[in-house]
Amino acid sequence: MSPGFLKHLSLICQFELKRLFSTRKGLLYLITFALIWYFILLYPIRFAADFLGQQQHTLEGKGFFEFIGFGSLLNWKIPELGVYWHFSLILFPLLAVMISADQTCSDRERGTLRFLCLRVSRDGLFFGRFSGIMLTQALLIFASLLSTLALILYRDASLLPIALDSASAIWLSLFIALLPFTAMMAALSATVQSARQATVWAILIWSFLAGIISLLSSYLPALNNLKLLIPGYQMSALSQLAEWQTLQLAYIPLLQTFVLLSIGRWIMRRQNL
Amino acid sequence: MKSPIIKCHKLDYSYAGKVALSNISFEVTTAEPIGLVGPNGAGKSTLLSILCGFLQNASGIVTLYGHRPGAAALSGRVAALPQDAQLDPTFTIGEQLSFYARLQGLSAQQAQLEASRVLEAVALQDSLKEKPGALSHGMAKRAAIAQALIGKPELILLDEPTAGLDPANTRKIRSIIAELSPATTFIISSHDLTELGRLCQQILLLDKGMMNTMQLNASAADQPTRFLTLQMEPCPITEVLAKFKQISGIVGISNPQKNELIIKYNSAIEAKMDVKIISCINDNNWQYRQLSQGKTLEEKLFFDEA
């Protein structure tokens, strides 16, 4: 008997994890990711956290951070996680675009998708790949947070309960923030012929769509609400929030994900293989 | 009532305004292998792609075992060798075939055994841990055929299965098809008419998007006019034709290709015409390569005027 939708989803997710952890390309990606985070931890996070720790209790220090636009860093109970949060809001969306640009396009061009679609529905394949990439990213966020926690505990082991609580908030908020980026790439990947094209389209969508909406909203201000549909729209506001408050804006990426996945599913169902 | 294996009714399909298939209607009810032939661009691959559910927006009715192409109910029942489709170069052949088997509902252990079984069936058991990039064109084709055999499907659609294969592997594929029929129904698209003539009882002929059906086993026993196809070794062909025309019962002889003759005769006048022909060849010390009843498939499909 053919397995159901959820079983297919789980099998495709497992295969995507295998792609990351047991293929040469995946391992190369992991090594690059680990190296980037090693340097971020070693220099920006460690030094910035030391600096913040010294300055956050002085009036001048607070004023300085407010002045340069990083006042929100002081709202974090643990400085390392505050710095991590700011870095990850820039770095992870970029990584999300890179890692998820080729969800279906090269398989479609090569004809591999034909082998798969004889065994699994297009919905199963589309959502399976999306879930697999999200699971991969969830693990990568978890790994980077774990290394940051290790750095915090090395400094002060008594911070473990607070650090765990803050790290959980970050993990969940980041996971939600990455959903629309991955959903956008899923939709683009279902349309274009290569990962490179999908990335170029993503950049065009960000720059042109934001520009066009800004232009149109100068005539009709109500149109400014359309910016809600651009992945990453809430990022600058999100960087000003700390701890569990970061979930206050979760409705935006969730709404974007719903819309983008619906578009992607529509494309995938109508696409010739 | 049992649904036909394949049912197409008034199927139309166009690529960017260009008609690829027009008003195609046919039913497949027999489990015997069926050949799909036609010139390049006739719409064979398009038809197979529609049957597999790869192409959307075809108008008309298409069902496989009563389900629309691509339906979840067909997973594991219908398999295919799509034209030019390749396996993922990132994973080994074994990993991919096991994954496909798991998607069809097999357990992890069963899936590994099934991957080994189908690779053995196409003589690629040593390539289980190879990546697709390490395979030659012929081996990659056989690996793609192996994926179609996973889980013993009821219907397998093969698009050019022997194109690019050497004679030994062509024979291997032919024996797989013969072995699995009629438990598995094969629809084979090919330009190799000799191949199809050996395997198929029914031929679907597609030309310019239109379809004709031909039964190859239609009995000619009750028809007085019959044909023989004779392939001669190098011989004085004018003399051969002149001698054959003197045999009573021969209605006409054509010479479509070098040293090949198609002899039309009346069986009511001479029932054992093949014996007469061979006697004539012996009497004149000529050599022949092959004598067969009826016309070749190529002659029947593309050049038949009778």
Side-chain angles (χ1 to χ4, degrees):
Chain A
M1 200 183 118
S2 176
F5 179 76
L6 290 177
K7 180 69 181 172
H8 275 157
L9 224 61
S10 137
L11 286 169
I12 294 170
C13 271
Q14 287 171 37
F15 205 65
E16 288 307 304
L17 285 183
K18 201 173 177 178
R19 195 185 294 276
L20 182 72
F21 291 109
S22 73
T23 65
R24 196 183 299 166
K25 199 175 162 187
L27 289 173
L28 200 69
Y29 179 84
L30 272 183
I31 291 168
T32 313
F33 177 82
L35 269 174
I36 291 171
W37 272 104
Y38 173 76
F39 285 112
I40 289 174
L41 279 174
L42 200 62
Y43 299 107
I45 291 186
R46 195 159 62 104
F47 289 135
D50 284 348
F51 184 67
L52 275 167
Q54 290 159 14
Q55 300 294 324
Q56 69 180 348
H57 301 298
T58 67
L59 209 56
E60 295 84 4
K62 281 182 182 175
F64 171 72
F65 280 107
E66 295 288 351
F67 178 72
I68 62 168
F70 283 96
S72 60
L73 279 173
L74 303 171
N75 297 332
W76 287 87
K77 290 171 191 159
I78 297 174
E80 283 91 339
L81 289 175
V83 179
Y84 172 96
W85 175 242
H86 276 75
F87 265 100
S88 58
L89 282 182
I90 299 165
L91 213 60
F92 272 110
L94 290 175
L95 288 172
V97 168
M98 274 171 58
I99 201 174
S100 60
D102 191 10
Q103 287 180 53
T104 51
C105 50
S106 64
D107 273 356
R108 194 177 58 252
E109 286 305 300
R110 200 189 305 116
T112 315
L113 225 49
R114 292 181 164 202
F115 294 140
L116 287 164
C117 282
L118 287 164
R119 296 166 172 96
V120 56
S121 69
R122 292 184 183 210
D123 278 357
L125 188 63
F126 179 75
F127 289 110
R129 286 278 169 95
F130 171 79
S131 309
I133 302 277
M134 281 315 301
L135 189 61
T136 302
Q137 292 182 107
L139 287 174
L140 292 178
I141 298 170
F142 182 76
S144 64
L145 271 172
L146 213 59
S147 55
T148 312
L149 279 179
L151 193 75
I152 295 164
L153 297 181
Y154 179 72
R155 179 170 64 85
D156 185 351
S158 67
L159 292 172
L160 180 65
I162 306 168
L164 274 179
D165 184 62
S166 297
S168 306
I170 289 179
W171 183 84
L172 189 59
S173 294
L174 261 183
F175 181 79
I176 294 171
L178 295 183
L179 281 168
F181 291 98
T182 312
M184 176 178 69
M185 298 317 285
L188 286 171
S189 188
T191 324
V192 300
Q193 292 176 336
S194 67
R196 192 175 295 173
Q197 277 187 21
T199 313
V200 169
W201 271 106
I203 294 165
L204 288 176
I205 286 172
W206 271 318
S207 43
F208 281 98
L209 203 63
I212 289 166
I213 292 172
S214 296
L215 188 74
L216 291 176
S217 59
S218 62
Y219 298 103
L220 192 63
L223 289 178
N224 204 36
N225 292 326
L226 284 176
K227 281 189 178 169
L228 272 174
L229 294 176
I230 302 170
Y233 166 74
Q234 82 290 4
M235 286 306 205
S236 55
L238 201 57
S239 67
Q240 301 304 312
L241 301 174
E243 313 284 349
W244 290 100
Q245 287 173 351
T246 50
L247 285 174
Q248 280 175 9
L249 298 174
Y251 73 95
I252 297 173
L254 289 174
L255 174 76
Q256 290 170 342
T257 305
F258 176 76
V259 173
L260 288 164
L261 283 181
S262 303
I263 294 170
R265 179 177 179 253
W266 183 83
I267 295 168
M268 188 74 178
R269 285 169 80 107
R270 278 153 188 79
Q271 186 70 267
N272 287 335
L273 302 178
Chain B
M1 199 181 92
K2 202 178 167 188
S3 307
I5 298 169
I6 298 174
K7 183 181 177 183
C8 272
H9 183 65
K10 295 187 174 174
L11 173 65
D12 291 307
Y13 191 82
S14 302
Y15 283 107
K18 192 185 169 208
V19 176
L21 296 174
S22 172
N23 202 25
I24 301 285
S25 295
F26 69 94
E27 275 193 15
V28 173
T29 48
T30 172
E32 293 296 332
I34 293 162
L36 179 61
V37 297
N40 291 330
K44 303 185 296 294
S45 295
T46 304
L47 177 62
L48 290 185
S49 293
I50 290 170
L51 293 175
C52 292
F54 302 149
L55 296 181
Q56 305 288 308
N57 308 319
S59 63
I61 298 167
V62 184
T63 59
L64 290 88
Y65 298 104
H67 302 279
R68 62 171 179 78
L74 297 175
S75 171
R77 293 183 76 186
V78 176
L81 167 72
Q83 197 180 32
D84 300 330
Q86 294 163 26
L87 292 166
D88 190 333
T90 321
F91 296 97
T92 66
I93 310 282
E95 282 171 333
Q96 291 184 73
L97 296 187
S98 298
F99 176 54
Y100 294 160
R102 293 218 66 194
L103 289 174
Q104 285 180 218
L106 274 68
S107 69
Q109 197 182 1
Q110 286 171 334
Q112 282 185 356
L113 291 173
E114 185 65 358
S116 302
R117 182 189 74 80
V118 294
L119 282 175
E120 201 174 334
V122 295
L124 275 180
Q125 57 272 33
D126 296 336
S127 303
L128 191 77
K129 292 185 177 169
E130 301 262 25
K131 288 190 176 172
L135 303 182
S136 68
H137 173 76
M139 290 165 89
K141 174 77 98 177
R142 282 188 280 147
I145 292 173
Q147 68 76 36
L149 303 176
I150 293 172
K152 298 181 179 166
E154 294 166 52
L155 171 66
I156 302 182
L157 308 163
L158 300 173
D159 199 351
E160 304 275 4
T162 53
L165 293 189
D166 57 45
N169 283 309
T170 301
R171 177 176 280 202
K172 180 80 189 165
I173 300 306
R174 198 189 309 139
S175 69
I176 290 170
I177 294 171
E179 198 177 300
L180 296 179
S181 291
T184 300
T185 303
F186 286 89
I187 310 268
I188 308 156
S189 160
S190 178
H191 290 296
D192 188 343
L193 299 177
T194 315
E195 186 75 35
L196 292 180
R198 281 175 175 159
L199 286 168
C200 305
Q201 300 301 314
Q202 190 182 346
I203 295 289
L204 302 173
L205 172 63
L206 259 177
D207 193 8
K208 292 173 187 159
M210 315 282 276
M211 180 172 276
N212 284 310
T213 309
M214 177 181 280
Q215 282 299 132
L216 295 186
N217 59 352
S219 173
D222 51 349
Q223 292 171 6
T225 306
R226 297 184 196 172
F227 294 90
L228 288 172
T229 302
L230 175 66
Q231 282 187 333
M232 297 293 290
E233 293 292 350
C235 61
I237 199 72
T238 323
E239 197 183 328
V240 172
L241 287 168
K243 288 276 183 188
F244 282 173
K245 278 178 184 167
Q246 290 170 11
I247 300 171
S248 70
I250 289 187
V251 180
I253 306 174
S254 62
N255 180 205
Q257 292 184 76
K258 192 181 177 189
N259 296 329
E260 185 178 290
L261 301 173
I262 295 173
I263 302 160
K264 187 178 180 183
Y265 69 99
N266 189 330
S267 61
I269 299 169
E270 181 53 71
K272 293 186 175 175
M273 183 58 77
D274 46 353
V275 179
K276 284 269 183 190
I277 295 286
I278 290 174
S279 295
C280 181
I281 291 170
N282 277 332
D283 293 345
N284 290 283
N285 286 323
W286 299 323
Q287 298 293 317
Y288 76 100
R289 192 174 289 174
Q290 191 178 328
L291 177 66
S292 55
Q293 295 281 351
K295 292 181 177 180
T296 60
L297 185 55
E298 178 184 283
E299 203 64 35
K300 279 183 191 171
L301 291 172
F302 298 109
F303 306 101
D304 204 357
E305 290 163 8

